[in-house]
Amino acid sequence: MSEEATLDEFAEPAHSGDSQERQETPIGELPTNWGVEWLKDVVKINPDGFSEDDWPSEMFEYISLSEASDGEIEESQTTPVEDAPSRAQRTVQEGDILVGTVRPKQRSHGFVSEEHAEKICSSGFGVLRPGTRLNSRYLLQEVLSNRFFSQMEAYVAGSGYPAVKISDLKKHRVAIPPLPEQRKITTVLYTIDRAIEKTEELVNQTERVKTGLTQDLLKRGINNQQMVETDSRFGSLPETWELRPLKEVSEIAGRTAPEKDDTECWGGDIPWATPSEITSLVGQTIDDTEEQLTELALDKVSSNLLPPMSVLMTTRATIGECAVNTVEMTTNQGFKNIIPGKRLDTWYTYYRLDYEKDYLASLSKGSTFPEVGKDTVENFVIPIPPLEEQRKIGEKLRSVDEQILSYKENKSQYERLKRGLMQDLLSGTVRTTDTNIEVPEEIAQYG
């Protein structure tokens, strides 16, 4: 499926004709040839309980709420019977749908595949076993839909431990298209789910590659150089590398903030970064911020702008998170920023400091509000390869990060596409009835 896939590749808008007329229902407007049923009337709920006498062996596979998310059961835990949680009360079969009834906002729902059949699940799930009128994988998409979530929210009880009772789960309503349409709807959404899953795998694989590459490049450098032992925490390093404190190869620039009630200082056009913007950053560069300062603000706090391609590093509370600015900007007092000198490459500095952030955090002071001071940052020793080698290291790691970011953007596109398709397909706004969609066996076998 292409990144630019749209609705038209799978389905077509509803058109005139008896089969395409619509009706108002308790769960919204739907096609007239779709049914709306109470959940209890079309599925068996918690069909297979058991007692202590039913344990098949001394060990069992247990599916807890934390193992299910967004329609997938990620794993199960091998558990001795003697350590069985009190919630281990239900057996599941292939094709069952697990609905997390505790803290429903977490959407701890999952499809029971052949891999997880006959395992034991938590009583925090409602186990749904579809009858002859429902395709199991279609029911999964229904359970993941906003309209099903809205019903769960309406029935949730408790604040510290919000949950939906099984008796209330039975009262949920679900839309029942004709089975052939259920299969086609599910095929579309299942196809996108697999694309999301494969893209997530690419992200994880590339991140593992980056971890290994980072360790190799930042310890051994480029081209298998002669290594020499040092008396530092770095152990052996390439013989052409030096160890220098940051203050010898860069300028360390701390920043402060004007008073919040000083209206003359705020609302200008100078970007002003905060640590939360760095920790939530997608990618490694920053060019815009939520708040901006005026030129007057810089005068009042005796601050200069950071030139582009500085390394912004958080040193208060969250320590060692880095970003590279692509425009002139300033930051609040939660940073110590590194302006590389002629002997230091920006991207090498970024990756080196990111690699060393745990060690840097260990040098912080303060218990309730840990912070790394300017003196500590200035005297923080790092290996300094020759400048050209620094650039090559930065380029290699930057290239991998750009690939990871590209995969993540693709995943986000698929997720947005699925959200739109779920809304349109599960409401019958867009129909699959007259489309040539080949239903795969992994859907057809479930009803």
Side-chain angles (χ1 to χ4, degrees):
M1 189 178 68
S2 68
E3 295 175 24
E4 296 77 19
T6 65
L7 229 60
D8 296 335
E9 292 189 35
F10 305 103
E12 61 184 25
H15 53 73
S16 61
D18 293 342
S19 65
Q20 305 294 349
E21 291 179 359
R22 298 177 68 76
Q23 60 181 331
E24 286 295 336
T25 77
I27 55 175
E29 191 180 75
L30 298 171
T32 55
N33 66 330
W34 288 21
V36 176
E37 301 284 356
W38 299 105
L39 188 62
K40 65 181 179 63
D41 292 334
V42 288
V43 306
K44 293 179 181 179
I45 300 180
N46 297 337
D48 294 336
F50 64 93
S51 68
E52 292 182 2
D53 297 332
D54 296 327
W55 292 110
S57 65
E58 294 182 356
M59 306 289 288
F60 71 100
E61 291 295 316
Y62 178 61
I63 304 170
S64 68
L65 284 166
S66 63
E67 263 85 62
S69 178
D70 289 329
E72 298 289 337
I73 299 174
E74 296 170 0
E75 58 185 353
S76 59
Q77 301 297 325
T78 303
T79 306
V81 168
E82 61 185 17
D83 296 332
S86 60
R87 281 186 171 274
Q89 297 178 8
R90 294 169 186 160
T91 307
V92 299
Q93 293 183 9
E94 183 179 358
D96 287 349
I97 307 300
L98 305 188
V99 177
T101 58
V102 177
R103 296 188 175 89
K105 285 186 178 179
Q106 295 182 359
R107 305 200 187 205
S108 302
H109 312 322
F111 179 85
V112 179
S113 63
E114 182 180 7
E115 175 189 358
H116 296 293
E118 307 304 326
K119 294 181 180 179
I120 309 299
C121 78
S122 167
S123 59
F125 292 110
V127 180
L128 310 184
R129 187 164 298 161
T132 57
R133 298 176 60 193
L134 276 175
N135 178 282
S136 289
R137 288 200 177 272
Y138 168 80
L139 178 60
L140 175 66
Q141 299 298 339
E142 180 77 20
V143 164
L144 293 172
S145 70
N146 287 334
R147 69 175 170 228
F148 195 90
F149 177 74
S150 296
Q151 293 178 80
M152 294 196 79
E153 284 283 275
Y155 285 115
V156 74
S159 54
Y161 193 72
V164 175
K165 298 176 182 178
I166 295 299
S167 58
D168 289 329
L169 184 63
K170 293 178 180 180
K171 301 173 188 176
H172 284 50
R173 285 185 166 101
V174 291
I176 315 289
L179 268 172
E181 190 164 5
Q182 288 182 41
R183 298 181 191 114
K184 287 185 176 183
I185 289 170
T186 306
T187 296
V188 174
L189 300 177
Y190 179 80
T191 300
I192 301 173
D193 282 337
R194 298 290 74 76
I196 292 170
E197 182 180 302
K198 288 178 181 179
T199 308
E200 180 67 23
E201 289 173 0
L202 287 172
V203 171
N204 294 337
Q205 289 170 5
T206 311
E207 286 179 338
R208 288 193 292 271
V209 168
K210 182 194 168 184
T211 298
L213 183 63
T214 299
Q215 292 176 344
D216 189 53
L217 290 175
L218 294 182
K219 288 183 176 181
R220 304 190 62 83
I222 305 288
N223 296 332
N224 297 318
Q225 301 176 57
Q226 180 69 37
M227 304 292 287
V228 295
E229 192 66 29
T230 72
D231 58 358
S232 71
R233 60 189 168 88
F234 299 104
S236 59
L237 291 171
E239 63 179 353
T240 58
W241 292 19
E242 301 178 78
L243 292 173
R244 291 285 182 268
L246 280 172
K247 66 182 179 181
E248 290 188 10
V249 288
S250 66
E251 176 187 348
I252 311 302
R255 292 294 180 256
T256 189
E259 297 294 331
K260 276 292 183 182
D261 58 0
D262 190 342
T263 56
E264 292 183 320
C265 292
W266 301 93
D269 56 7
I270 298 171
W272 181 77
T274 63
S276 63
E277 290 175 303
I278 304 303
T279 56
S280 62
L281 193 65
V282 177
Q284 294 76 41
T285 60
I286 182 169
D287 59 9
D288 195 15
T289 56
E290 290 185 8
E291 297 188 82
Q292 289 80 36
L293 300 181
T294 63
E295 292 283 353
L296 181 61
L298 297 182
D299 293 336
K300 286 191 173 185
V301 297
S302 300
S303 179
N304 296 320
L305 287 174
L306 294 168
M309 302 305 290
S310 299
V311 179
L312 283 57
M313 183 173 70
T314 62
T315 51
R316 178 179 292 187
T318 301
I319 294 170
E321 296 297 325
C322 296
V324 173
N325 61 312
T326 57
V327 298
E328 286 188 324
M329 63 171 54
T330 188
T331 66
N332 77 359
Q333 58 270 47
F335 292 84
K336 300 297 181 291
N337 305 303
I338 294 86
I339 305 172
K342 293 181 179 180
R343 296 179 58 195
L344 199 59
D345 176 73
T346 293
W347 283 111
Y348 171 80
T349 306
Y350 170 90
Y351 288 110
R352 171 57 67 180
L353 292 175
D354 182 70
Y355 186 70
E356 303 285 350
K357 63 184 175 185
D358 289 341
Y359 178 73
L360 184 67
S362 73
L363 304 178
S364 65
K365 297 179 180 179
S367 55
T368 58
F369 202 64
E371 181 174 10
V372 175
K374 187 177 181 181
D375 286 348
T376 300
V377 176
E378 286 180 334
N379 291 291
F380 191 70
V381 173
I382 64 170
I384 308 293
L387 186 57
E388 185 58 31
E389 187 174 3
Q390 291 182 46
R391 289 174 179 150
K392 289 179 179 179
I393 291 171
E395 287 169 0
K396 285 179 178 291
L397 294 176
R398 178 81 172 132
S399 176
V400 177
D401 267 335
E402 287 175 348
Q403 184 63 73
I404 292 171
L405 182 59
S406 175
Y407 288 144
K408 288 181 176 180
E409 288 173 347
N410 289 346
K411 181 172 178 260
S412 294
Q413 289 176 356
Y414 288 133
E415 290 170 338
R416 289 193 298 270
L417 175 60
K418 186 184 176 185
R419 286 194 294 270
L421 283 167
M422 284 186 76
Q423 175 67 29
D424 290 333
L425 291 172
L426 295 177
S427 66
T429 303
V430 169
R431 305 297 299 274
T432 61
T433 50
D434 297 325
T435 56
N436 184 23
I437 295 175
E438 184 176 349
V439 177
E441 178 59 24
E442 55 262 43
I443 291 171
Q445 67 177 312
Y446 295 114

